[in-house]
Amino acid sequence: MRSGTGRSYTRAARLLRPSVQRRRDRMGNNMQDRIKVLGIVLKAEPIGEYDRRVVILTREKGKISAFARGARKPTSAFLAPTSPFTFGTFELYAGRNSYSVCDISADCYFEELRQDFEGAYYGMYFLELADYCTRENNDEREVLKLLYQSLRALLVPSLPRKLVRYIYELKAMTYSGECPQTFEQFSDWNLNPSTEYALQYVVAASVEKLYTFLLTEEVFAEFARVVTWLRKHYVEHRFKSLEILET
């Protein structure tokens, strides 16, 4: 394992405190029930003729669902920011059974990633895996940081995207408890010591230090083989975007 040129991105580490307002909005909702959360849109689906239901991975509330009225109208201010990949601050009205989107301040749309066919599918796979590995109303702050950093890492030319993928998979499974954090079960694989070190490093390292190394071809092949075995053994789910990437 040798040092690389991956950058550290810390914007996702911001902590926004829920804000309370006392007037009513134009729809008559009590603005005292509004909150602000920092997060990223994992997926969006149409509801009715013009509305959208979005799943947002947030720092304050974990994974939540929210409804955006009129978001699919061509003139809606919510048309772009309720799309997957949008990272920013979401102002939500907390109803009795669900959240409604009141306002969005987008910090990043990951446009460069969206416009790259291969990069877009890597990104969509990362969103899918984050959705699978997280639970509603659970503390998912580290997964949010991991997802944001990993999407940014896909844009770094010096970092091979396959390496970013396997690092992300291993760390996501570690955070979700989907796989063991030790690798004794691979003792009969005769792994290169550098491979073992890389695996342990990813499990133990902070998100900010994940994408700071490169691997030789031999070590990368072993690293990928181990992570793929773990994913297939412990994650019982088919990811559509991954299937496209692997065709």
Side-chain angles (χ1 to χ4, degrees), residues 43-169:
K43 63 182 180 182
E45 60 183 14
I47 298 292
E49 188 174 359
Y50 295 116
D51 302 339
R52 266 183 182 162
R53 174 183 175 270
V54 292
V55 176
I56 312 169
L57 183 61
T58 75
R59 184 175 178 87
E60 293 79 6
K61 297 290 184 178
K63 185 171 69 174
I64 61 174
S65 299
F67 293 91
R69 297 180 185 178
R72 295 167 59 216
K73 293 181 179 180
T75 57
S76 174
F78 292 156
L79 181 63
T82 55
S83 299
F85 294 107
T86 301
F87 176 81
T89 302
F90 297 79
E91 187 172 346
L92 308 173
Y93 167 72
R96 181 174 299 178
N97 299 313
S98 63
Y99 292 98
S100 296
V101 177
C102 301
D103 194 20
I104 304 173
S105 177
D107 292 328
C108 179
Y109 291 99
F110 288 99
E111 280 296 331
E112 187 177 346
L113 201 60
R114 292 186 190 190
Q115 295 171 7
D116 177 348
F117 180 82
E118 180 189 68
Y121 275 101
Y122 270 107
M124 285 189 285
Y125 171 52
F126 287 11
L127 298 182
E128 276 194 84
L129 185 57
D131 185 34
Y132 173 82
C133 289
T134 54
R135 302 292 178 265
E136 292 201 4
N137 299 307
N138 195 30
D139 184 353
E140 306 290 0
R141 288 175 290 180
E142 291 303 313
V143 179
L144 175 61
K145 288 170 60 178
L146 171 65
L147 176 59
Y148 179 80
Q149 297 279 54
S150 301
L151 292 174
R152 294 298 299 265
L154 289 173
L155 297 172
V156 178
S158 59
L159 287 173
R161 283 175 171 171
K162 286 186 177 181
L163 175 60
V164 174
R165 166 195 160 180
Y166 291 119
I167 292 173
Y168 174 75
E169 286 180 338

Side-chain angles (χ1 to χ4, degrees), residues 135-229:
R135 302 292 178 265
E136 292 201 4
N137 299 307
N138 195 30
D139 184 353
E140 306 290 0
R141 288 175 290 180
E142 291 303 313
V143 179
L144 175 61
K145 288 170 60 178
L146 171 65
L147 176 59
Y148 179 80
Q149 297 279 54
S150 301
L151 292 174
R152 294 298 299 265
L154 289 173
L155 297 172
V156 178
S158 59
L159 287 173
R161 283 175 171 171
K162 286 186 177 181
L163 175 60
V164 174
R165 166 195 160 180
Y166 291 119
I167 292 173
Y168 174 75
E169 286 180 338
L170 179 56
K171 196 66 171 178
M173 289 189 291
T174 300
Y175 279 149
S176 66
E178 296 289 340
C179 69
Q181 297 188 26
T182 57
F183 302 95
E184 288 86 354
Q185 66 265 49
F186 301 105
S187 58
D188 59 345
W189 286 29
N190 296 316
L191 296 175
N192 187 306
S194 294
T195 305
E196 295 179 355
Y197 178 81
L199 292 166
Q200 294 289 357
Y201 178 85
V202 171
V203 167
S206 64
V207 170
E208 291 80 7
K209 295 182 179 179
L210 277 181
Y211 300 108
T212 56
F213 66 88
L214 300 173
L215 300 176
T216 65
E217 185 175 343
E218 175 190 353
V219 172
F220 171 77
E222 289 186 349
F223 185 89
R225 182 185 171 203
V226 170
V227 176
T228 298
W229 186 92

